[in-house]
Amino acid sequence: MSPDGVARKSIDGETGLATEGEPVYGEPTADGWRLWDRSRSKLAVLLDREVETGLDDGSTVLYLGAASGTTVSHVADFAGPTYAVEFAPRPMRDLLDVAADRENLFPLLKDAREPESYAHVVEPVDVIVQDVAIRGQADVALANRQFLREDGRLVLSVKARSEDVTRDPEAVFEEVEERLAEGYEIEYAESLEPFHDDHLGVVATPE
């Protein structure tokens, strides 16, 4: 189910989920609401499907792979403290601009593979949202499990081509799920097509 701070709106002839906040990436807006583009956000696909992600108004969130802030800006529009980890300096500059309009959004120029580098900053969280396009995506989720509350959820977007561009995506997804099972119980795992090719959306709880 979608949080109360995420509503279905029709703006400029387009209908979809929307949040209230300052625009970030040229998305259609009206009366303070901004459409959440599913083709640019894996999380938006899951919320549009009404998958139980654990995200709610006021949730504490750790977002891994925040990039320029497209998706995490929507999250920060309705969530509570939102810690946004991004490794690359160039998108971090854009993310800082996004955070300037959102006092609950905390950008961290860190590597999600090294959670010890930000463990002194991040409090226990209700939800980890992970969109890190690197090899070893399950390992990143396991390494950051330490921040997740016992009743929290991991919302993971697995990009098959980042794991191994030569292998069949289904085989990659199966391998990632097996690795995740070493620390999580998977509640949902479905393709994110047609919006995101060769991506698997996963929701899991800590074991």
Side-chain angles (χ1 to χ4, degrees):
M1 300 295 291
S2 296
D4 291 340
V6 181
R8 191 168 294 278
K9 297 284 184 179
S10 182
I11 303 175
D12 290 349
E14 298 181 44
T15 299
L17 299 181
T19 61
E20 287 187 283
E22 291 296 317
V24 170
Y25 53 97
E27 67 277 21
T29 61
D31 301 321
W33 289 87
R34 42 194 295 258
L35 276 182
W36 197 341
D37 189 345
R38 289 173 295 175
S39 68
R40 297 185 63 169
S41 173
K42 294 90 173 178
L43 179 59
V45 176
L46 296 177
L47 290 175
D48 190 61
R49 293 177 182 176
E50 298 193 347
V51 175
E52 182 51 73
T53 62
L55 283 167
D56 206 347
D57 300 272
S59 293
T60 303
V61 179
L62 173 60
Y63 196 106
L64 305 175
S68 297
T70 297
T71 295
V72 77
S73 65
H74 284 287
V75 173
D77 283 347
F78 64 85
T82 304
Y83 300 93
V85 176
E86 173 53 44
F87 177 70
R90 177 61 190 91
M92 174 56 69
R93 290 198 290 272
D94 294 332
L95 184 58
L96 288 170
D97 289 339
V98 173
D101 296 317
R102 294 166 174 84
E103 62 181 16
N104 62 320
L105 179 57
F106 307 108
L108 300 171
L109 183 60
K110 300 291 184 181
D111 188 335
R113 293 168 293 188
E114 300 174 358
E116 65 277 4
S117 68
Y118 46 87
H120 63 292
V121 176
V122 178
E123 63 188 296
V125 301
D126 302 302
V127 181
I128 294 175
V129 180
Q130 180 179 321
D131 185 10
V132 180
I134 59 174
R135 187 185 296 271
Q137 292 163 81
D139 293 334
V140 171
L142 290 167
N144 283 273
R145 180 182 175 278
Q146 61 185 291
F147 300 110
L148 196 58
R149 293 193 171 104
E150 290 184 6
D151 59 348
R153 281 184 171 84
L154 167 72
V155 182
L156 169 65
S157 171
V158 182
K159 184 176 182 180
R161 301 304 180 189
S162 293
E163 291 289 341
D164 192 333
V165 71
T166 66
R167 294 179 62 200
D168 176 66
E170 292 301 323
V172 172
F173 295 150
E174 183 177 346
E175 189 174 276
V176 170
E177 288 184 60
E178 288 177 357
R179 176 74 174 114
L180 276 176
E182 296 179 23
Y184 291 94
E185 181 177 346
I186 296 174
E187 297 188 340
Y188 175 94
E190 297 289 343
S191 168
L192 296 180
E193 293 184 0
F195 298 99
H196 302 276
D197 293 340
D198 300 327
H199 281 76
L200 183 74
V202 176
V203 178
T205 54
E207 284 194 326

